[in-house]
Amino acid sequence: MLAKRIIPCLDIKNGMTVKGIKFVGIKEVGDPVELGALYAEQGADELVFLDITASHEGRKTFVDLVKRIAQHVNIPFTVGGGISEIKDAEALLNAGADKISINSSAVRNPQLINDMALNFGSQFVVTAIDAKHMAGDDWAVTVNGGRIETDKRLFSWAKEAEDRGAGEILFTSMDHDGVKQGFANEALAKLSTDLTIPIIASGGAGSMEHFKDVFTKGKADAGLAASIFHYKEIGIPDLKQYLNTEGISVRL
């Protein structure tokens, strides 16, 4: 069995790590390079750095920051925010990123997933999906950091992204984001069943049990969280030991 991955997420705004609840009420929590290096030291499997206002403000992700991260972090990391064409991704890859995450730009131009996969390989392309629960199995895909609802739906869009060449899906439930009441396990389990590529779960981590649930009930391949790590509510070594004792395969 492949080891389940623990991935701290660092949302970046104006060069600083920030965190909000349900995508609003943003607060600064620290320097992304220092935090990233600390998490790598503590045993994180990967890191995700997202420039959370890049698409909304029409900016490009800071290549200089990615260069600094690459110098100080020795585990794979993904970068997202404001990536709308091949040259954006190329600049980030050359700066040291291991993968790129595309979200709003892929919704607006799905061909971008094909182009990225063709140019760099599927393993380099993460399609991030921010979705809002409507009713039953219905989840509306949003863009611009959750500000704009689209007519795309979570499950059909995730399948299309896979078919176009995405190597992973990073699904964030906006309803669960920052609330710390657990992940959207039913939707995650459906994604994991429908698709063959790995699913990264985001939104809702508040306890070690939530990670156990997301890997068992939610069938996710990786659990991503932010505030519980930033505010030292859960330590990565403690979390991995707990999961290991619960019979979940993790890299210790």
Side-chain angles (χ1 to χ4, degrees):
M1 184 195 285
L2 277 178
K4 302 293 189 181
R5 290 171 286 152
I6 303 298
I7 307 178
C9 180
L10 297 93
D11 290 340
I12 312 291
K13 186 179 183 183
N14 303 325
M16 290 298 284
T17 306
V18 297
K19 188 65 194 111
I21 295 175
K22 294 190 180 181
F23 289 35
V24 294
I26 304 292
K27 291 180 188 165
E28 280 191 7
V29 291
D31 176 79
V33 181
E34 285 174 18
L35 278 173
L38 174 68
Y39 295 147
E41 203 177 289
Q42 290 177 346
D45 297 294
E46 293 180 23
L47 298 167
V48 171
F49 294 87
L50 298 176
D51 189 340
I52 59 168
T53 54
S55 295
H56 180 60
E57 295 170 7
R59 276 184 299 104
K60 303 298 185 194
T61 300
F62 293 128
V63 171
D64 291 344
L65 178 62
V66 173
K67 285 179 182 164
R68 281 177 51 222
I69 293 164
Q71 285 165 359
H72 293 89
V73 169
N74 61 357
I75 58 174
F77 69 94
T78 299
V79 179
I83 301 167
S84 56
E85 47 193 353
I86 293 293
K87 67 176 187 184
D88 300 334
E90 208 156 41
L92 294 164
L93 181 59
N94 291 338
D98 296 277
K99 303 176 198 173
I100 52 105
S101 168
I102 48 177
N103 188 334
S104 303
S105 56
V107 173
R108 294 195 176 99
N109 173 23
Q111 180 61 32
L112 187 62
I113 302 172
N114 303 64
D115 296 345
M116 295 283 183
L118 198 62
N119 273 269
F120 309 115
S122 289
Q123 74 280 2
F124 181 71
V125 184
V126 179
T127 298
I129 303 174
D130 299 331
K132 188 190 295 182
H133 188 228
M134 307 306 276
D137 252 1
D138 188 24
W139 289 75
V141 174
T142 68
V143 294
N144 287 38
R147 291 174 183 84
I148 302 168
E149 193 179 307
T150 72
D151 59 1
K152 286 198 186 295
R153 289 300 181 259
L154 170 62
F155 302 112
S156 55
W157 172 231
K159 186 73 181 87
E160 182 181 340
E162 177 181 50
D163 292 344
R164 287 179 176 275
E168 290 182 283
I169 298 291
L170 166 51
F171 163 50
T172 301
S173 163
M174 290 179 59
D175 306 83
H176 294 72
D177 180 67
V179 183
K180 301 183 183 177
Q181 297 297 310
F183 293 89
N185 291 321
E186 279 184 32
L188 285 159
K190 181 165 166 52
L191 283 172
S192 296
T193 304
D194 289 353
L195 310 185
T196 59
I197 57 175
I199 307 296
I200 303 168
S202 165
S207 70
M208 295 196 200
E209 289 77 12
H210 292 154
F211 281 92
K212 176 186 153 188
D213 289 346
V214 84
F215 294 137
T216 53
K217 297 175 187 170
K219 301 180 185 174
D221 299 276
L224 178 144
S227 53
I228 57 163
F229 298 136
H230 301 339
Y231 299 127
K232 300 179 173 60
E233 291 164 26
I234 294 177
I236 294 169
D238 296 339
L239 174 59
K240 287 193 156 188
Q241 286 294 349
Y242 164 79
L243 291 170
N244 187 49
T245 59
E246 291 293 325
I248 292 162
S249 174
V250 288
R251 187 177 59 82
L252 294 171

